[in-house]
């Protein structure tokens, strides 16, 4: 693989070929550099201006781990306006694969011929051809995942990249003549208002990127995902089932409802009971407008939350709780403490009525220690769901650029995730950002699991869940299976089997379910226990999905996840999707066990555990 660099220092000329305003790549800063050292781990460049740039490309866990360090050895401050995390040169490709993402529609694969994007070289080789995409703000998975794979159909070679970046990022594919260059990293000054002053003797290192190659999209994605190294809490190693009561109480948790739920879950094989939003609101208030102060509601829980935790534990469950610790809502006292909140142009940064704690401020860290860590410890919680429901956009004050303020803020947020684990080593952390807006690798590595989406009861749940196999570890992908008293057995199977595409998370009115449906739930938990090693360690070789419209899914989906000796086949039908071609995949092994219903009608689901044949 041919690794290089891309960077631009303020004052240097922009590149030619009509690139200015589209990209900061190929600038004069690059022209001033000479490659002075190269080995299998790094490439070192010296600039005539006195800068040293080291591009690391270290082979590890089947991928190249890439990052770039800029050292200023000159006598004056340099202002970086762009510095790539990775740059791969001389790529032959004809197809681009990306993962789009919106709220409750995460990870939809978009595959396009490069000719569709007008990326053919010009008749003379003059004039840049470029496809640039990314995300601006504190929700790094919004519109796009920080992921790309390029395919050369003639050679069947694929090159894939994931960026580990919790703030604004960009990926660029460009060419003038043959062949392509692929580069990316922090969003540059033009795109994300990022620049960074590097004083003499100082250095700056970019976020990490991982690069993988292979003979199929599925193999490349599997390699990239398996290179992620999450901090799994010991109690979560065996991937237990979760119950989250949000779709039971909808932000109105009570002691009575929690105990009723705990009693129903006792002995079921489910391990966590998570109390979601609303536990802090007082009479007449709603859960959304009161975020920030984190005072336990005297109306809902007059004796505090320790008795609630003790009650949940008495039923053999681990208690969990929801926080949105970085935000402040209008009815909270902290909303008015603007000296400790993020600002832009010296005005409090306000999004949809919410403001943001500046976690670079020690006062905010101490505040959260008192409000979050102390409550977790003293009450006896073993699980925290950390939500994040607004985006700060291009950036904030406090640094030499708005984008650098954003980068510092995002790193401070991640530092507090680590602080929770330092103070409470056994705590299970769930990453949530209106569902899946923070499903990028560097944040996923801080957590045991993540909300795969805010798709609670929609029919597209299994489609979204399958998409995410290409992007995060299924063992971390917590999928909603909301159970309603009025559901028939087919809907119950449909919901539960969707959860087999990752971490099964139940919600809803389980205490009102008909006995037949509850028996199916108990069987599902047992079956999940038999297959979770495949969810954890398998390779998703097939995602055969014919759906185009997530809001009105039609067709079918078949997912095959394999180990060396076993396979898990999960099939869902949608509108007009009865009798999908599962026989093509069942031939790969003998059926050990089946859970679900016949696939002879719309909105049915079935899961098959297979022993792979020796053929």
């Amino acid at each position: 693989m041919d690794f290089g660099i891309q960077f631009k220092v303020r004052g240097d000329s922009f590149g030619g070929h009509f690139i200015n305003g589209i990209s900061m790549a190929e600038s004069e800063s690059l022209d001033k550099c000479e490659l002075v050292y190269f080995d299998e781990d790094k490439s070192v460049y010296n600039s005539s201006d006195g800068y040293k740039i080291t591009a690391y490309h270290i082979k590890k866990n089947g991928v190249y781990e890439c990052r770039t360090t800029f050292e200023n050895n000159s006598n004056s401050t340099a202002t970086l306006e762009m510095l790539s995390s990775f740059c791969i040169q001389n790529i032959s490709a004809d197809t681009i694969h990306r993962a789009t993402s919106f709220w409750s529609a995460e990870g939809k694969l978009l595959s396009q011929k490069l000719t569709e994007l007008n990326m053919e070289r010009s008749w003379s080789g003059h004039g840049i051809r470029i496809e640039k995409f990314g995300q601006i703000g504190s929700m790094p998975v919004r519109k796009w995942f920080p992921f790309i794979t390029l395919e050369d159909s003639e050679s069947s070679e694929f090159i894939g990249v994931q960026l580990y970046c919790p703030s604004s990022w960009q990926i660029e594919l460009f060419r003038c003549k043959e062949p392509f260059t692929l580069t990316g990293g922090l969003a540059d000054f033009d795109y994300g208002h990022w620049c960074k002053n590097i004083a003499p003797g100082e250095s700056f290192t970019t976020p990490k990127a991982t690069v993988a190659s292979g003979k199929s999209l599925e193999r490349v994605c599997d390699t990239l995902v398996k290179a992620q190294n999450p901090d799994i809490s010991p109690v979560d190693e065996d991937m237990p089932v979760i119950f989250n009561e949000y779709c039971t109480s909808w932000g109105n948790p009570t002691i009575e409802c929690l105990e009723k739920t705990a009693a129903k879950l006792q002995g079921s094989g489910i391990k966590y009971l998570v109390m979601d939003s609303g536990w802090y609101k007082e009479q007449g208030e709603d859960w959304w407008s009161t975020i920030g102060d984190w005072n336990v509601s005297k109306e809902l829980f007059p004796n505090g939350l320790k008795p609630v935790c003790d009650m949940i534990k008495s039923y053999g469950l681990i208690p969990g709780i929801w926080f949105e610790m970085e935000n402040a809502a209008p009815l909270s006292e902290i909303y008015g403490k603007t000296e400790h909140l993020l600002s832009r142009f010296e005005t409090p940064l306000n999004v949809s009525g919410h403001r943001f704690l500046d976690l670079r401020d020690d006062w905010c860290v101490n505040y959260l220690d008192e409000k979050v860590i102390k409550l977790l410890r003293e009450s006896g919680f073993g699980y925290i769901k950390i939500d994040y429901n607004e985006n700060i956009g291009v950036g904030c004050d406090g640094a030499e650029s708005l984008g650098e303020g954003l980068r510092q803020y995002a790193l401070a947020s991640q530092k507090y995730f680590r602080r929770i684990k330092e103070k409470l080593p056994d705590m299970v952390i769930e990453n949530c950002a209106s569902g899946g807006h923070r499903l990028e690798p560097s944040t996923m590595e801080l957590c045991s699991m993540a909300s795969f989406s805010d798709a609670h009861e929609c029919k597209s749940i299994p489609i979204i869940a399958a998409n995410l196999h290409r992007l995060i570890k299924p063992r971390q992908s917590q999928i909603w299976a909301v159970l309603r008293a009025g559901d028939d057995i087919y809907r119950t199977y449909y919901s539960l089997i969707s959860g087999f595409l990752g971490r099964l998370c139940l919600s809803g009115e389980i205490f009102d379910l008909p006995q037949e449906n509850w028996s199916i739930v108990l069987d599902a938990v047992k079956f999940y226990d038999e297959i979770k090693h495949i969810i954890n360690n398998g390779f998703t070789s097939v995602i055969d999905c014919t759906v185009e419209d997530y809001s009105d899914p039609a067709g079918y989906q078949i997912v095959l996840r394999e180990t060396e000796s076993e396979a898990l086949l999960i099939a869902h039908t949608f509108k007009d999707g009865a009798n999908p071609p599962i026989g093509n995949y069942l031939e790969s092994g003998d059926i050990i066990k089946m859970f679900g219903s016949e696939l002879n009608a719309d909105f049915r689901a079935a899961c098959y555990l297979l022993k792979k044949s020796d053929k």
Side-chain angles (χ1 to χ4, degrees):
M1 207 167 292
D2 185 1
F3 290 103
I5 57 170
Q6 290 290 338
F7 76 107
K8 184 180 183 303
V9 174
R10 183 166 290 171
D12 284 347
S13 172
F14 294 88
H17 290 273
F18 318 113
I19 199 172
N20 190 16
I22 307 175
S23 173
M24 303 186 86
E26 300 293 281
S27 72
E28 182 188 9
S29 301
L30 202 62
D31 297 334
K32 294 178 179 180
C33 285
E34 177 186 5
L35 179 65
V36 296
Y37 179 81
F38 173 83
D39 64 25
E40 61 182 10
D41 290 336
K42 62 181 179 290
S43 306
V44 181
Y45 301 79
N46 283 342
S47 165
S48 58
D49 286 333
Y51 313 135
K52 178 182 177 182
I53 302 93
T54 305
Y56 295 95
H57 35 80
I58 300 168
K59 196 70 179 288
K60 185 178 180 182
N61 297 324
V63 301
Y64 289 98
E65 290 191 356
C66 299
R67 52 172 58 87
T68 305
T69 297
F70 176 95
E71 299 174 66
N72 184 1
N73 298 321
S74 75
N75 296 319
S76 58
T77 295
T79 300
L80 273 175
E81 295 187 318
M82 190 268 278
L83 180 64
S84 62
S85 291
F86 71 95
C87 178
I88 311 167
Q89 304 166 143
N90 298 313
I91 300 172
S92 294
D94 53 47
T95 304
I96 181 173
H97 303 279
R98 293 177 283 183
T100 65
S101 193
F102 289 113
W103 181 81
S104 291
E106 290 84 352
K108 187 173 185 177
L109 186 67
L110 178 63
S111 300
Q112 296 169 293
K113 291 291 185 184
L114 289 173
T115 50
E116 295 178 44
L117 297 170
N118 201 15
M119 292 286 284
E120 306 96 317
R121 61 162 284 173
S122 70
W123 64 272
S124 68
H126 182 63
I128 196 75
R129 301 293 193 260
I130 186 165
E131 179 65 12
K132 180 173 180 175
F133 67 101
Q135 186 285 138
I136 302 301
S138 53
M139 286 180 163
V141 178
R142 183 189 59 163
K143 175 60 176 172
W144 301 103
F145 273 79
F147 158 87
I148 187 173
T149 295
L150 297 176
E151 174 185 354
D152 182 354
S153 59
E154 184 175 339
S155 65
S156 297
E157 293 290 339
F158 293 73
I159 295 175
V161 180
Q162 276 194 321
L163 270 172
Y164 287 55
C165 184
S167 56
S168 299
W169 58 268
Q170 64 187 36
I171 292 175
E172 302 179 75
L173 177 69
F174 62 86
R175 75 185 316 170
C176 283
K177 299 181 180 179
E178 302 289 350
F180 287 99
T181 294
L182 179 66
T183 187
L186 289 166
D188 60 33
F189 187 77
D190 280 0
Y191 188 59
H193 206 277
W194 180 81
C195 66
K196 178 74 175 172
N197 295 333
I198 314 296
E202 293 185 346
S203 65
F204 176 78
T205 299
T206 66
K208 182 174 78 172
T210 55
V211 180
S213 59
K215 288 292 187 180
S216 71
L217 174 65
E218 292 78 12
R219 278 294 178 192
V220 166
C221 290
D222 186 68
T223 301
L224 290 171
V225 168
K226 284 193 167 79
Q228 297 172 17
N229 186 30
D231 183 6
I232 306 295
S233 296
V235 72
D236 200 55
E237 283 287 354
D238 64 345
M239 295 172 57
V241 179
I242 308 102
F243 187 94
N244 181 301
E245 60 77 51
Y246 181 68
C247 296
T248 308
S249 75
W250 297 107
N252 296 287
T254 64
I255 296 174
E256 294 74 22
C257 186
L258 286 165
E259 182 155 22
K260 194 176 179 182
T261 302
K264 187 72 172 180
L265 296 177
Q266 186 175 30
S268 65
I270 295 166
K271 193 166 190 174
Y272 305 115
L273 173 51
V274 182
M275 177 175 61
D276 213 281
S277 59
W279 53 268
Y280 44 83
K281 64 182 184 136
E282 297 297 345
Q283 187 172 11
E285 298 175 346
D286 65 85
W287 71 266
W288 176 247
S289 300
T290 49
I291 288 168
D293 290 341
W294 308 120
N295 299 317
V296 179
S297 170
K298 293 183 175 62
E299 178 192 7
L300 294 172
F301 305 104
N303 298 315
L305 292 179
K306 186 178 187 308
V308 177
C309 287
D310 291 344
M311 176 273 292
I312 291 172
K313 290 176 183 177
S314 74
Y315 288 99
L317 302 164
I318 293 175
I321 189 170
W322 177 97
F323 275 94
E324 188 173 349
M325 63 188 190
E326 295 162 70
N327 288 8
L331 297 183
S332 66
E333 183 179 342
I334 197 173
Y335 184 84
K337 295 185 180 296
T338 55
E339 68 274 24
H340 301 299
L341 306 180
L342 293 181
S343 64
R344 185 182 298 168
F345 306 129
E346 301 181 356
T347 300
L349 184 55
N350 196 308
V351 181
S352 190
H354 280 218
R355 294 174 178 171
F356 304 85
L357 276 68
D358 187 348
L359 295 183
R360 299 169 296 180
D361 182 343
D362 288 342
W363 185 93
C364 290
V365 172
N366 294 332
Y367 177 82
L368 292 183
D369 284 354
E370 182 71 18
K371 294 292 189 175
V372 179
I373 292 177
K374 182 179 179 182
L375 179 67
L376 292 171
R377 179 188 290 116
E378 292 185 352
S379 299
F381 286 102
Y383 183 117
I384 179 173
K385 175 177 179 176
I386 301 176
D387 210 340
Y388 185 79
N389 283 302
E390 277 302 347
N391 191 324
I392 74 171
V394 71
C396 55
D397 297 335
E400 56 266 56
S401 62
L402 295 177
E404 174 61 8
L406 168 67
R407 187 190 72 87
Q408 293 176 6
Y409 158 80
L411 293 181
S413 170
Q414 292 192 329
K415 185 177 180 180
Y416 201 81
F417 276 62
R418 295 186 184 94
R419 186 175 179 86
I420 291 172
K421 287 300 292 284
E422 288 166 5
K423 301 291 185 181
L424 304 168
D426 295 329
M427 185 63 58
V428 176
I429 298 179
E430 176 191 338
N431 162 34
C432 183
S434 288
H437 284 115
R438 277 180 165 177
L439 297 180
E440 60 81 30
S442 72
T443 305
M444 291 302 300
E445 289 196 334
L446 302 176
C447 308
S448 287
M449 65 184 97
S451 296
F452 87 120
S453 178
D454 261 356
H456 296 124
E457 300 182 77
C458 55
K459 294 173 181 176
S460 59
I461 285 175
I463 308 166
I464 300 166
N467 289 340
L468 294 181
H469 281 219
R470 301 185 182 101
L471 301 157
I472 66 173
K473 289 178 180 286
R475 71 150 295 133
Q476 290 188 280
S477 184
Q478 185 185 124
I479 301 160
W480 290 94
V482 179
L483 306 168
R484 297 296 179 206
D487 290 347
D488 61 25
I489 61 168
Y490 300 109
R491 174 66 192 190
T492 301
Y493 279 127
Y494 186 96
S495 298
L496 293 166
I497 292 171
S498 298
F500 294 168
L501 290 161
R503 294 295 296 276
L504 179 59
C505 176
L506 306 182
S507 193
E509 305 128 359
I510 56 166
F511 35 73
D512 291 332
L513 293 180
Q515 185 54 47
E516 182 181 14
N517 295 43
W518 181 240
S519 296
I520 291 171
V521 173
L522 296 177
D523 289 343
V525 174
K526 291 177 183 176
F527 189 75
Y528 170 84
D529 198 52
E530 294 180 50
I531 63 173
K532 61 189 180 184
H533 65 287
I534 303 175
I535 298 170
N536 187 16
N537 300 313
F539 160 54
T540 301
S541 58
V542 174
I543 302 176
D544 179 6
C545 184
T546 62
V547 172
E548 294 182 1
D549 184 346
Y550 281 23
S551 63
D552 185 23
Y556 64 84
Q557 176 176 277
I558 300 169
V559 177
L560 185 66
R561 188 164 175 85
E562 306 177 66
T563 64
E564 288 188 6
S565 59
E566 294 176 298
L568 192 63
L569 182 69
I570 298 175
H572 284 79
T573 68
F574 311 110
K575 185 174 69 175
D576 301 325
N579 301 311
I582 62 170
N584 298 340
Y585 305 105
L586 289 174
E587 292 176 358
S588 62
D590 300 320
I591 299 175
I592 299 173
K593 196 168 184 179
M594 179 264 192
F595 179 83
S597 62
E598 295 295 322
L599 301 172
N600 57 1
D602 296 349
F603 300 105
R604 300 286 191 265
C607 181
Y608 302 85
L609 175 59
L610 307 175
K611 180 180 180 181
K612 293 171 72 172
S613 63
D614 297 328
K615 298 177 185 178

